[in-house]
Amino acid sequence: MTDVARVVVVDDDRAIRWVLERALAQPDLEVETLDRADRALERLLEAPPDVLVTDIRMPGIDGLDLMAKVREVHPELPVIVMTAHSDLDSAVASYQGGAFEYLPKPFDVDEALALVRRAVAHARERRRPVSVPEGLDAEIIGEAPAMQEVFRAIGRLSHSHITVLINGESGTGKERVARALHQHSPRAGRPFIALNMAAIPKDLIESELFGHEKGAFTGATAQRQGRFEQADGGTLFLDEIGDMPAETQTRLLRVLADGEFYRVGGHTSVKVDVRIIAATHQNLETLVEDGRFREDLFHRLNVIRVHLPRLSERREDIPRLARHFLVEAAKELATDVKVLTPEAEAHFTRLPWPGNVRQLENTCRWLTVMASGREVLVEDLPQELREPGAAEGNTGDWRTAFRDWADRALAAGHTHLLEEAVPDFERILIETALKHTGGRKGEAAELLGWGRNTLTRKLKTLLPALADGE
């Protein structure tokens, strides 16, 4: 039998009390209506209901004062604030006062009933202890096969100082992997310095990397250490390495070869011991072919390559990642941890997530602020994530899905789409063909319409972990 929840409605408007009393007359709800906040206060303090529904403007103390006084004693009580004056100040004041939800008049009675039920569920959920799954504080989360390959690579490299190149779409977590490589290396006690090549003006990149001497250029009022000196003994993570200007590529090559450099405007060489981890969402081989990236630098960086899958290729990890990000967002915002309903979790796993892990993290932060209850429903999601077709990213005609991806990428300002799409396209076909042949490469090459040598060459470039063996 369902427990009966007690709901108190406070409003000086007799018509509103009458409407709500009848709308909330449900087998699982017990409704009490009161006409003044000052008369209701003593009763609410002595016997708090499961949910309080109150108008703002009433004789005596108003609804916001009532909410404040009751929540001083019963801070967990969900309060739904109603008002016929639906202005910004009222909404802001309601939420700042701790309102569960804000209900402008006139309202739909079905909407009001649904909101009260959600508040009841929220109140009951808050009374249950939250269990945080073990291991959510790990630097990287992933049980999908593609992520297990990444973990294996980190494990194999844990005793190494070797240069690593990380490939993956924007938002897949390349910096997290770089930090994990550093934290599990002999250099873990030394600095980890990250620098995004795409975020620095070209005329400042050399100063950022190598530092400058006093007077080297206008504004250089003192000597400044660059990122290489700051990372001495540790790891320097160069993100979006494909955006590095040609002249800086030449200087970087010399540092990798000699372990020393000159500050901008300097005449004395500086010697450092730095491990380089580079990352890019671009296809460096194509940049080399086009003359936009030095081939000798590419080979210096491409000693060990780690490929990060997009989030849609590791859907089994989405629920655990979401739980982790909801816990982190609650800590960051000093609020309760939100919990996805099974329906919302299933919806999450079907979404295409073009922004990958970063988009999922930002969505969880948004939900922590914007979702009313402790439980997150599908209808709590941002509009673009609950529109028809939003969760159908892996169904239907692949050409349509591919066209949609291209539209989104171009609209988001991405460039060099072929460099991003073609390697992934070939990688997916190769993995699928090998799956169908049980890993037999000769048969996989025949399925793809390639020669054996072509498949071997592609494996070395796109899937080095699978290149050896039969």
Side-chain angles (χ1 to χ4, degrees), residues 449-466:
W450 283 342
R452 174 65 183 258
N453 290 341
T454 301
L455 178 60
T456 301
R457 178 168 50 82
K458 295 282 187 181
L459 281 170
K460 286 180 180 177
T461 303
L462 300 171
L463 294 161
L466 301 178

Side-chain angles (χ1 to χ4, degrees), residues 81-150:
V81 174
M82 303 180 293
T83 180
H85 305 276
S86 308
D87 55 36
L88 178 61
D89 290 342
S90 297
V92 170
S94 299
Y95 286 122
Q96 287 183 339
F100 172 77
E101 193 55 275
Y102 174 78
L103 185 63
K105 299 176 183 178
F107 49 79
D108 181 85
V109 291
D110 291 333
E111 179 187 351
L113 175 59
L115 192 54
V116 168
R117 288 196 188 284
R118 285 203 61 192
V120 169
H122 172 72
R124 288 173 175 166
E125 185 70 27
R126 291 189 73 159
R127 289 195 285 267
R128 287 165 43 195
V130 177
S131 59
V132 178
E134 292 183 17
L136 286 187
D137 58 345
E139 62 261 26
I140 313 174
I141 291 170
E143 297 176 359
M147 286 305 295
Q148 293 302 309
E149 282 298 315
V150 174

Side-chain angles (χ1 to χ4, degrees), residues 91-256:
V92 170
S94 299
Y95 286 122
Q96 287 183 339
F100 172 77
E101 193 55 275
Y102 174 78
L103 185 63
K105 299 176 183 178
F107 49 79
D108 181 85
V109 291
D110 291 333
E111 179 187 351
L113 175 59
L115 192 54
V116 168
R117 288 196 188 284
R118 285 203 61 192
V120 169
H122 172 72
R124 288 173 175 166
E125 185 70 27
R126 291 189 73 159
R127 289 195 285 267
R128 287 165 43 195
V130 177
S131 59
V132 178
E134 292 183 17
L136 286 187
D137 58 345
E139 62 261 26
I140 313 174
I141 291 170
E143 297 176 359
M147 286 305 295
Q148 293 302 309
E149 282 298 315
V150 174
F151 294 165
R152 287 190 194 99
I154 293 172
R156 292 188 191 107
L157 294 166
S158 61
H159 300 295
S160 171
H161 299 270
I162 201 165
T163 302
V164 179
L165 178 63
I166 304 172
N167 271 113
E169 286 184 6
S170 296
T172 47
K174 295 187 286 293
E175 183 169 342
R176 285 177 183 263
V177 171
R179 286 185 183 276
L181 284 165
H182 171 74
Q183 290 163 4
H184 294 277
S185 78
R187 298 171 179 263
R190 303 294 296 165
F192 174 89
I193 304 294
L195 188 63
N196 188 323
M197 296 290 103
I200 303 171
K202 290 186 178 181
D203 55 348
L204 294 180
I205 283 183
E206 293 206 7
S207 175
E208 280 289 329
L209 280 172
F210 308 115
H212 60 252
E213 298 289 352
K214 180 179 179 180
F217 49 82
T218 304
T221 56
Q223 185 190 81
R224 179 181 179 277
Q225 280 193 346
R227 301 306 173 97
F228 264 98
E229 284 181 84
Q230 294 170 13
D232 190 22
T235 302
L236 178 59
F237 173 55
L238 299 177
D239 199 4
E240 299 303 349
I241 192 78
D243 291 314
M244 180 178 279
E247 57 272 20
T248 311
Q249 292 178 31
T250 302
R251 289 200 66 181
L252 176 61
L253 184 64
R254 291 200 195 105
V255 179
L256 293 177

Side-chain angles (χ1 to χ4, degrees), residues 352-427:
W353 299 112
N356 293 298
V357 177
R358 186 182 298 125
Q359 183 187 6
L360 176 61
E361 180 177 12
N362 289 338
T363 299
C364 291
R365 188 177 288 115
W366 186 94
L367 287 168
T368 299
V369 174
M370 300 300 291
S372 299
R374 185 168 167 188
E375 282 198 318
V376 176
L377 310 179
V378 173
E379 47 264 40
D380 290 324
L381 296 178
Q383 181 66 33
E384 65 273 14
L385 297 184
R386 51 187 166 90
E387 289 174 348
E392 297 174 4
N394 61 342
T395 61
D397 179 61
W398 70 270
R399 295 172 184 83
T400 302
F402 187 57
R403 185 176 288 107
D404 290 343
W405 169 82
D407 281 340
R408 287 195 303 270
L410 291 172
H414 288 209
T415 58
H416 310 301
L417 286 196
L418 285 174
E419 297 169 9
E420 185 175 342
V422 172
D424 286 341
F425 181 77
E426 292 184 340
R427 187 181 294 110

